[in-house]
Amino acid sequence: MSFIKPRSTATTRDRLLTVAEVAILDKGFAATSIEELIAEVGITKGGFFYHFKDKSALVEAILERHLIAEEVWLDDLFACAAKETIEPLAQFLVFLRLLQDQMAALPDVHPGCLIAATCFQERLFTQTVHDLAQQNLLSWRTRFHARLTAIANIHPPRHSVDLEAMADMLVVLVDGAIILSKTVREKEVLPRQIALYARFVAAVFRDEG
């Protein structure tokens, strides 16, 4: 789900992963050929097959790297939020503000979501790819649900709310905003939706007055 952060290009394998990730987000898996990837990286087809047995293996490696990078990215955002406050609700709202700021700072619309790319072209991918995509979304759910539960223990929700569904709501909101942003070519869509989610979270948990 996260946008393309700087990736290592220290090895030929790293360069292949980065070039392929960008290409898949830009035009999809089916339209991305091995020939164009090796041309951009500057290797032979044999060089490609030295690192990956086929395109499916390449996508598996991209997703595995993506999962690691995304976990580090979220950990860093929450670590920055923790430096500002230890109070669970305030910390989660700071996290959302930092997330909003990063999305607003993108030079163009968000490049897209790898998980969405695999989901909407599911028949093109192996079960391993689908398992990795599922792992990614469940990781977001688990992470945010734990945060919301900690908040609810201190600030009982003002209305009955399914905290797991509320955790999923952020995932749904971000991926939906990416699709809308790319379709209408308005980069402001994503940060605006995150800001609205933050207001919703505050309204659910903050005491009246």
Side-chain angles (χ1 to χ4, degrees):
M1 186 179 308
S2 64
F3 56 97
I4 294 284
K5 300 287 283 182
R7 305 291 200 221
S8 171
T9 56
T11 68
T12 299
R13 186 177 189 276
D14 290 333
R15 293 196 297 275
L16 274 169
L17 290 172
T18 299
V19 168
E21 183 173 353
V22 172
I24 291 169
L25 287 175
D26 183 49
K27 58 185 179 180
F29 176 75
T32 299
S33 69
I34 291 176
E35 287 73 18
E36 70 176 282
L37 298 179
I38 63 176
E40 184 161 350
V41 175
I43 60 173
T44 64
K45 187 171 286 190
F48 175 90
F49 290 115
Y50 173 80
H51 296 286
F52 306 103
K53 66 177 182 179
D54 53 28
K55 279 176 65 179
S56 291
L58 172 67
V59 174
E60 289 173 16
I62 289 172
L63 279 177
E64 288 169 351
R65 185 178 70 160
H66 172 79
L67 286 170
I68 294 170
E70 192 167 82
E71 289 297 314
V72 171
W73 172 58
L74 289 172
D75 285 344
D76 287 347
L77 286 180
F78 275 115
C80 289
K83 291 178 182 178
E84 294 195 26
T85 177
I86 61 172
E87 201 285 318
L89 175 57
Q91 189 177 112
F92 193 66
L93 293 175
V94 171
F95 160 76
L96 290 173
R97 188 197 76 216
L98 294 173
L99 180 62
Q100 177 188 349
D101 289 345
Q102 285 203 1
M103 297 302 102
L106 291 175
D108 197 356
V109 297
H110 194 290
C113 175
L114 280 171
I115 306 306
T118 59
C119 175
F120 290 117
Q121 303 176 71
E122 60 178 341
R123 294 187 180 183
L124 299 177
F125 298 102
T126 64
Q127 186 58 48
T128 300
V129 169
H130 294 304
D131 290 344
L132 287 167
Q134 182 184 75
Q135 179 185 336
N136 176 258
L137 296 183
L138 291 178
S139 175
W140 278 63
R141 171 189 284 175
T142 299
R143 179 189 289 270
F144 297 139
H145 184 232
R147 296 276 175 170
L148 293 170
T149 299
I151 293 168
N153 288 336
I154 299 174
H155 305 279
R158 294 170 57 189
H159 307 283
S160 178
V161 62
D162 182 333
L163 295 180
E164 184 173 85
M166 193 172 174
D168 287 341
M169 185 179 178
L170 181 55
V171 181
V172 172
L173 175 150
V174 170
D175 272 352
I178 290 171
I179 293 170
L180 179 60
S181 175
K182 284 178 70 68
T183 302
V184 301
R185 303 303 302 178
E186 293 178 3
K187 60 170 287 188
E188 298 80 11
V189 168
L190 184 49
R192 190 165 62 221
Q193 290 297 314
I194 295 170
L196 283 173
Y197 182 78
R199 293 182 66 180
F200 171 70
V201 170
V204 168
F205 293 111
R206 277 185 175 154
D207 298 330
E208 294 190 56

